[in-house]
Amino acid sequence: LNAEIGFVWVDGQKAAEFNARTEVMHQSLCLILKVAAAVYSGLQYFGSEDKLDNVPIYLLLAGWLCVQPLMLFTHWFRGLWKKQVDFKSFTVPMNVHFVIRRIGEWMMLMLGESILSLVIVDNIAKDNDRKYYLVFFSGVLGVIFLQILYFESQPHDASHHAMRRSRLGGITFNFLVQIYSAALILVGVSYKMMLTEFKSDDYHRTIRFLAAEEGSDGHEEQDKHWRTIPKLFCYSLAATFVTLDLINLSHSGVAAAVHRCFSETTMMAVKAIVVVVLSRYCIVVGVVVISYFIPEGYSHYIALLGFGAVALQVGIRLLQTMCFHDKVKRSSL
């Protein structure tokens, strides 16, 4: 079946035609907001606006947010008010094995961007060499352990994947992967901001402060920039931990996770609470709280603390595997 949808030519069955038309409709609103953001930022860049602001960033965020409920309506809500829905009539099934491989490659790409953020830095002041190497090696080790933490948390068999478990599980997984990817990008940006703090004075004199307040001093904006580094890094790192737990939960299902903790003995429930909940989320809360107590000029220590937090998460993940090694049935929730 060949079907033409505007300027899009679809070669496939009716489901492919419907899916392509729906995708074009969903992305059209997002495209409008992206074009508006590009035009607005262009006007600001060429001086048509007296005061710079973050409206283009908000427009891009709105473009991403507006697509999510539309996708959820198309792929899941339709089955709520109809008992028997033939989803294959309007959606194209995905190869779960291929998705696992491609998502893994995507995560490697996101982690690689963090490594590039650490490598591509020059003009380091001589008196900051020790701080630079502390951030550099802590960052590299932290990214390596983030890779271990992610792949240790994911199923390597399609039968245990969220997209094979249920439609809602697959939708939740795809949404959380986007959040997790954004958090990884922020981690890499944070490493880059830490390293630029150690550049020579000649570099800092040539900094162009984008979106600076009218009448503000460059040194004031630079101090504000440096005070932001610990919070941005800690928030993004905590977001990776929480999102990864939610991704893991989308694979197993809520009911299966609860059954796994409380099905055998009281001691198993105690181990579940201590190992899975308290220890891991004490690290998350600790990472966020520490960001408020880093003195000015000591933000390089936050990279070392971040590596320690990721290493602890990996250790707890391995301990969890030892405590809950049994296989359970997947939930449909």
Side-chain angles (χ1 to χ4, degrees):
L1 174 65
N2 295 325
E4 186 175 358
I5 308 171
F7 55 86
V8 179
W9 183 267
V10 179
D11 187 6
Q13 299 179 351
K14 283 291 184 180
E17 176 186 350
F18 180 87
N19 204 61
R21 182 172 62 250
T22 304
E23 187 68 19
V24 170
M25 292 173 59
H26 290 173
Q27 297 299 330
S28 59
L29 179 58
C30 181
L31 178 62
I32 293 173
L33 293 173
K34 289 180 179 179
V35 172
V39 173
Y40 192 93
S41 60
L43 294 175
Q44 289 186 327
Y45 181 79
F46 290 106
S48 299
E49 295 289 340
D50 296 332
K51 186 176 180 180
L52 301 178
D53 52 39
N54 297 322
V55 172
I57 299 176
Y58 298 145
L59 289 174
L60 292 175
L61 180 61
W64 176 77
L65 290 175
C66 70
V67 177
Q68 306 308 315
L70 296 176
M71 297 293 291
L72 190 62
F73 173 81
T74 302
H75 297 289
W76 185 63
F77 281 165
R78 184 170 300 186
L80 293 180
W81 59 80
K82 294 181 180 180
K83 294 183 178 180
Q84 294 183 352
V85 179
D86 185 13
F87 287 102
K88 293 183 179 180
S89 63
F90 58 87
T91 58
V92 179
M94 300 181 67
N95 189 322
V96 180
H97 291 279
F98 182 75
V99 170
I100 293 176
R101 188 182 72 179
R102 297 298 289 175
I103 293 295
E105 293 171 354
W106 171 258
M107 290 304 168
M108 290 294 294
L109 180 62
M110 294 295 100
L111 293 167
E113 292 296 330
S114 298
I115 297 294
L116 287 177
S117 299
L118 291 164
V119 172
I120 308 177
V121 178
D122 54 1
N123 297 327
I124 302 298
K126 292 183 178 180
D127 56 342
N128 287 328
D129 283 345
R130 183 176 299 178
K131 298 178 182 178
Y132 168 79
Y133 287 115
L134 177 63
V135 174
F136 178 80
F137 287 109
S138 298
V140 171
L141 292 174
V143 172
I144 293 173
F145 273 74
L146 278 174
Q147 176 195 4
I148 297 173
L149 182 63
Y150 175 78
F151 286 103
E152 283 293 327
S153 306
Q154 301 306 302
H156 301 284
D157 185 6
S159 61
H160 298 94
H161 199 273
M163 297 185 66
R164 183 66 60 84
R165 182 177 62 83
S166 69
R167 178 172 293 272
L168 180 58
I171 295 172
T172 304
F173 170 79
N174 287 317
F175 175 78
L176 292 173
V177 162
Q178 300 176 60
I179 304 296
Y180 186 73
S181 302
L184 288 179
I185 292 175
L186 288 177
V187 170
V189 171
S190 303
Y191 283 133
K192 188 77 169 184
M193 294 173 67
M194 292 180 199
L195 294 181
T196 54
E197 186 178 353
F198 311 136
K199 283 180 172 287
S200 62
D201 293 335
D202 294 335
Y203 168 80
H204 291 300
R205 282 194 292 267
T206 60
I207 289 179
R208 178 188 179 193
F209 293 101
L210 298 178
E213 296 181 0
E214 187 177 359
S216 61
D217 186 10
H219 293 288
E220 180 182 350
E221 291 295 327
Q222 185 175 342
D223 292 339
K224 186 187 298 184
H225 170 80
W226 288 342
R227 288 195 299 269
T228 306
I229 295 175
K231 295 181 181 179
L232 180 63
F233 177 76
C234 291
Y235 288 162
S236 57
L237 189 62
T240 60
F241 295 153
V242 175
T243 309
L244 189 58
D245 282 339
L246 294 176
I247 291 175
N248 195 27
L249 190 62
S250 71
H251 292 308
S252 62
V254 177
V258 173
H259 175 76
R260 188 178 189 181
C261 296
F262 299 99
S263 59
E264 295 187 1
T265 62
T266 305
M267 184 56 64
M268 180 68 72
V270 172
K271 289 192 295 184
I273 294 174
V274 173
V275 175
V276 180
V277 181
L278 291 181
S279 55
R280 281 160 62 177
Y281 282 91
C282 281
I283 297 175
V284 173
V285 174
V287 166
V288 175
V289 171
I290 287 175
S291 65
Y292 290 92
F293 297 96
I294 298 296
E296 185 177 351
Y298 291 88
S299 60
H300 52 282
Y301 287 114
I302 204 69
L304 185 61
L305 293 173
F307 163 66
V310 178
L312 286 174
Q313 288 279 359
V314 173
I316 294 172
R317 175 68 62 180
L318 297 177
L319 183 61
Q320 175 186 346
T321 304
M322 295 173 58
C323 294
F324 308 108
H325 57 82
D326 56 317
K327 296 183 179 179
V328 295
K329 294 181 64 177
R330 293 177 291 120
S331 168
S332 60
L333 294 180

